[in-house]
Amino acid sequence: NAGVTQTPKFRILKIGQSMTLQCTQDMNHNYMYWYRQDPGMGLKLIYYSVGAGITDKGEVPNGYNVSRSTTEDFPLRLELAAPSQTSVYFCASSQGPGLYGYTFGSGTRLTVV
Amino acid sequence: GIQVEQSPPDLILQEGANSTLRCNFSDSVNNLQWFHQNPWGQLINLFYIPSGTKQNGRLSATTVATERYSLLYISSSQTTDSGVYFCRIDGAGSYQLTFGKGTKLSVIP
């Protein structure tokens, strides 16, 4: 049981490049989330999904896209990377809404230069 | 939205000392959780505690929902306790979780 797996762990992008952050969970959780954490700040919700085929915006969705074609996978797409997207990204999943049984991935450190 | 304030922002402890971290929130909440972010950036769930008191080893937490605060107690601190402790709350009917800015704890030998 691997929990929530995020890849890559580190990445450096040039301004304007695109990339996809991968997130996979093997706990059959319906709810999945993407957060970003800026230095000295708490986590901010980017997008979330309540089940396969259903996604919705969180607090800071601009510059990102997501898809949820399967229960297991919830990739986060950056289309045109900007320095403001330099952050640590966490994927999480849960059995239910709110704080019910959250499991976090180990994070992806992204630097845009 | 709900405001979450954590104090102190920074804390330095000698190994073996005890500490209390505080989380204040501005409105009624459905849920509250404490996390530990270790120096490698991993987020570890500590307590899910919308009310009452829970204990896990050297750590315990108390939430007094009616007075809108939660306390995290660390006893006999160890260097591995270093990192940032986040309080996070869940407002009613929302998937948007509001985090405090965290308390950075440094435990020195």
Side-chain angles (χ1 to χ4, degrees):
Chain A
N1 188 340
V4 177
T5 303
Q6 281 184 244
T7 57
K9 293 191 182 303
F10 305 94
R11 184 72 184 269
I12 298 174
L13 282 182
K14 293 185 178 180
I15 293 172
Q17 285 186 318
S18 300
M19 77 164 293
T20 299
L21 281 66
Q22 301 291 345
C23 177
T24 299
Q25 54 92 9
D26 62 358
M27 296 169 286
N28 202 33
H29 286 172
N30 282 324
Y31 296 76
M32 295 188 75
Y33 315 82
W34 273 107
Y35 295 90
R36 59 177 286 172
Q37 184 181 20
D38 299 322
M41 307 292 288
L43 277 73
K44 292 186 178 180
L45 182 65
I46 305 171
Y47 270 93
Y48 65 95
S49 169
V50 300
I54 306 169
T55 64
D56 209 344
K57 297 178 180 179
E59 282 184 274
V60 289
N62 292 343
Y64 306 93
N65 279 301
V66 293
S67 60
R68 186 90 183 274
S69 57
T70 66
T71 298
E72 294 78 18
D73 300 309
F74 191 40
L76 178 71
R77 178 84 177 162
L78 283 72
E79 290 296 344
L80 293 171
S84 60
Q85 293 177 306
T86 294
S87 190
V88 181
Y89 292 82
F90 288 93
C91 178
S93 71
S94 69
Q95 295 173 290
L99 294 176
Y100 183 66
Y102 262 70
T103 301
F104 280 89
S106 57
T108 296
R109 293 185 182 276
L110 176 66
T111 302
V112 181
V113 296
Chain B
I2 297 174
Q3 305 298 311
V4 181
E5 290 187 5
Q6 288 187 246
S7 60
D10 293 285
L11 184 59
I12 300 175
L13 293 177
Q14 200 77 39
E15 196 170 23
N18 302 329
S19 64
T20 301
L21 283 59
R22 188 177 182 101
C23 173
N24 292 335
F25 41 92
S26 62
D27 205 343
S28 301
V29 299
N30 276 352
N31 299 302
L32 185 146
Q33 196 159 14
W34 284 96
F35 291 90
H36 174 215
Q37 186 178 41
N38 65 22
W40 297 270
Q42 285 184 306
L43 279 169
I44 313 293
N45 298 345
L46 295 177
F47 293 103
Y48 164 61
I49 185 166
S51 64
T53 298
K54 289 186 178 180
Q55 181 156 8
N56 184 4
R58 296 181 297 104
L59 274 63
S60 64
T62 296
T63 297
V64 184
T66 54
E67 297 186 21
R68 299 182 183 169
Y69 73 87
S70 183
L71 302 174
L72 178 68
Y73 305 97
I74 304 173
S75 64
S76 304
S77 58
Q78 301 176 358
T79 55
T80 52
D81 295 330
S82 296
V84 180
Y85 289 80
F86 287 106
C87 164
R88 192 181 69 186
I89 64 170
D90 176 20
S94 169
Y95 296 117
Q96 300 213 13
L97 309 175
T98 305
F99 286 82
K101 293 191 174 182
T103 292
K104 185 177 179 181
L105 175 64
S106 301
V107 180
I108 55 177

